[in-house]
Amino acid sequence: MQSATAFGLVRPCPARALLGPSPTRPLLPARPLRISAITTAAAATSSSRGGAVAARSLGLLPILPDRERRVRHVVCGAAGEAAGKTEEEGGLAKTLQLGALFGLWYLFNIYFNIYNKQVLKVFPYPINITTVQFAVGTVVALFMWITGIHRRPKISGAQLVAILPLAIVHTMGNLFTNMSLGKVAVSFTHTIKAMEPFFSVLLSAIFLGELPTVWVVLSLLPIVGGVALASLTEASFNWAGFWSAMASNVTFQSRNVLSKKLMVKKEESLDNINLFSIITVMSFFLLAPVAFLTEGIKITPTVLQSAGLNVKQVLTRSLIAALCFHAYQQVSYMILARVSPVTHSVGNCVKRVVVIVTSVLFFRTPVSPINSLGTAIALAGVFLYSQLKRLKPKPKAA
């Protein structure tokens, strides 16, 4: 290896006395400094905090004026503080945005359930109501695509065929939910719908071969027990409302199983919001003929007026419920794109609690202590289930 002198970094200097003469100290004999000693000392000191100062003193780095060094120190410190503040502000902004989305998710769901229940109490035609909700969702989706608010998806015929089963069970799930809401209290419908994890585990085991862990199975016991306890003491209980909510659980969880089994190939433009919008459009075209052939077209001003209903009130509430129905599901997908599925599941559990409490307060639903206990046990089981699902079984050692 060539020395520092060969590269012109250090100039050899003549031998000199290390210490000057002193009245009390004799002049020491001059000892020559070797270049290798200088470079070794510079390398050793440069790794420490004062390395730069030592290197400058040895002639390896230019010596900066004190004022310039202070300016550089202030500028670097200010830049570091600014970067830290920017990062903190960005994290705070994301947290506030996520909190706002959760708030909108809960708010839209509350308004949907309240207005939907008010309409179904005076207008007992759930197929018509569900068709209107899909129709409004279709208009919203088309508006977003035409105006460029959301990118229009590029989808093939094969993808539409694969999505069709999802649209069918999606249609049935929402229809059964509205049928249940028309027959029993909102709080009871959502208590029964807390059994979704039970059907998710059951259908996944049957059709996908995904066997749950022992802990997941045990977490289903309080869910089933809590729903049974709440059902036995429910003041608005009737079998039509109960089985409609159960059928809604089966169809919605079948949609999740089908989406895994069919594995619809997504293009870049076919994100979750576009997929949901396409399913909504398909659901409208699937259910509209059924509404025409079964209930007939009932939600018209003439029919509503002949039934002695406030036409403006019913139509306004139906429109608000439909808009909130589409909005809360859109926001749900936006949240899912920002958080993990487990966090989204916990948020959904909290949402169900909020909807049950607000509906009980708004409609003044009579609730007994045992009914409240059953609902609380079921929801606690759902929360426990969502936490246990995140635990992956450890692979067996070979």
Side-chain angles (χ1 to χ4, degrees):
M1 179 180 293
Q2 294 180 336
S3 64
T5 308
F7 290 101
L9 297 176
V10 178
R11 291 179 299 177
C13 51
R16 66 180 66 178
L18 293 177
L19 297 173
S22 173
T24 61
R25 183 175 64 240
L27 184 65
L28 296 177
R31 298 175 63 184
L33 286 175
R34 298 180 182 274
I35 298 300
S36 60
I38 295 176
T39 55
T40 303
T45 56
S46 63
S47 62
S48 64
R49 189 174 180 180
V53 177
R56 288 191 181 95
S57 66
L58 294 172
L60 299 178
L61 295 174
I63 299 176
L64 299 175
D66 290 342
R67 183 177 180 182
E68 186 175 349
R69 285 201 301 270
R70 287 196 298 270
V71 170
R72 288 192 178 187
H73 178 72
V74 171
V75 171
C76 292
E81 291 178 3
K85 288 182 179 180
T86 303
E87 185 176 353
E88 289 178 2
E89 290 174 358
L92 179 61
K94 289 181 179 179
T95 302
L96 292 175
Q97 185 183 35
L98 186 61
L101 288 175
F102 270 99
L104 288 174
W105 188 23
Y106 295 173
L107 186 65
F108 287 140
N109 210 286
I110 290 170
Y111 273 97
F112 163 71
N113 281 278
I114 289 176
Y115 281 112
N116 201 35
K117 179 63 177 178
Q118 287 179 329
V119 173
L120 287 167
K121 282 175 68 175
V122 298
F123 186 75
Y125 297 100
I127 303 179
N128 270 256
I129 295 298
T130 310
T131 304
V132 169
Q133 290 166 3
F134 288 140
V136 172
T138 299
V139 173
V140 172
L142 293 176
F143 176 78
M144 292 172 62
W145 291 333
I146 293 171
T147 57
I149 295 176
H150 201 78
R151 185 169 50 178
R152 189 182 308 174
K154 297 178 181 178
I155 189 166
S156 63
Q159 286 177 317
L160 288 175
V161 172
I163 294 173
L164 181 59
L166 302 178
I168 293 173
V169 292
H170 178 78
T171 305
M172 295 173 63
N174 284 286
L175 175 58
F176 284 132
T177 298
N178 281 338
M179 291 173 66
S180 179
L181 288 172
K183 296 292 184 181
V184 297
V186 174
S187 57
F188 186 51
T189 296
H190 282 274
T191 300
I192 300 172
K193 286 175 71 64
M195 280 193 67
E196 285 182 351
F198 173 82
F199 291 102
S200 176
V201 170
L202 180 63
L203 294 175
S204 295
I206 293 174
F207 295 103
L208 300 178
E210 297 178 357
L211 298 179
T213 63
V214 175
W215 296 110
V216 169
V217 174
L218 290 177
S219 71
L220 298 177
L221 297 179
I223 298 176
V224 177
V227 170
L229 187 62
S231 300
L232 290 174
T233 56
E234 173 60 36
S236 66
F237 179 86
N238 68 68
W239 287 109
F242 176 83
W243 288 118
S244 295
M246 282 293 185
S248 173
N249 286 334
V250 174
T251 50
F252 277 133
Q253 296 312 308
S254 298
R255 179 187 61 185
N256 296 340
V257 171
L258 279 173
S259 63
K260 291 181 181 179
K261 197 171 182 66
L262 296 174
M263 293 299 289
V264 178
K265 183 181 179 182
K266 291 185 181 180
E267 301 294 339
E268 185 180 353
S269 62
L270 190 58
D271 55 15
N272 284 333
I273 292 180
N274 273 333
L275 181 60
F276 167 70
S277 299
I278 291 171
I279 289 176
T280 299
V281 175
M282 295 176 74
S283 295
F284 168 69
F285 286 105
L286 287 170
L287 193 58
V290 177
F292 179 77
L293 295 174
T294 54
E295 294 177 346
I297 307 301
K298 300 292 185 182
I299 193 160
T300 61
T302 304
V303 175
L304 294 174
Q305 193 171 8
S306 63
L309 300 175
N310 186 325
V311 177
K312 183 179 179 180
Q313 186 182 70
V314 172
L315 293 178
T316 302
R317 289 176 176 177
S318 297
L319 179 61
I320 294 174
L323 287 172
C324 291
F325 168 76
H326 193 80
Y328 88 75
Q329 299 198 57
Q330 291 273 20
V331 174
S332 174
Y333 282 117
M334 292 171 67
I335 293 174
L336 189 58
R338 289 168 170 80
V339 301
S340 67
V342 174
T343 303
H344 188 272
S345 179
V346 173
N348 191 52
C349 180
V350 175
K351 180 206 71 178
R352 204 173 294 283
V353 174
V354 172
V355 169
I356 289 174
V357 172
T358 53
S359 66
V360 167
L361 295 176
F362 184 85
F363 293 109
R364 299 180 182 179
T365 307
V367 180
S368 66
I370 297 179
N371 183 274
S372 301
L373 178 63
T375 301
I377 292 173
L379 294 174
V382 173
F383 178 79
L384 180 61
Y385 168 84
S386 65
Q387 294 300 305
L388 291 173
K389 283 289 289 183
R390 70 193 301 177
L391 302 178
K392 302 293 183 183
K394 295 181 179 180
K396 296 181 180 180

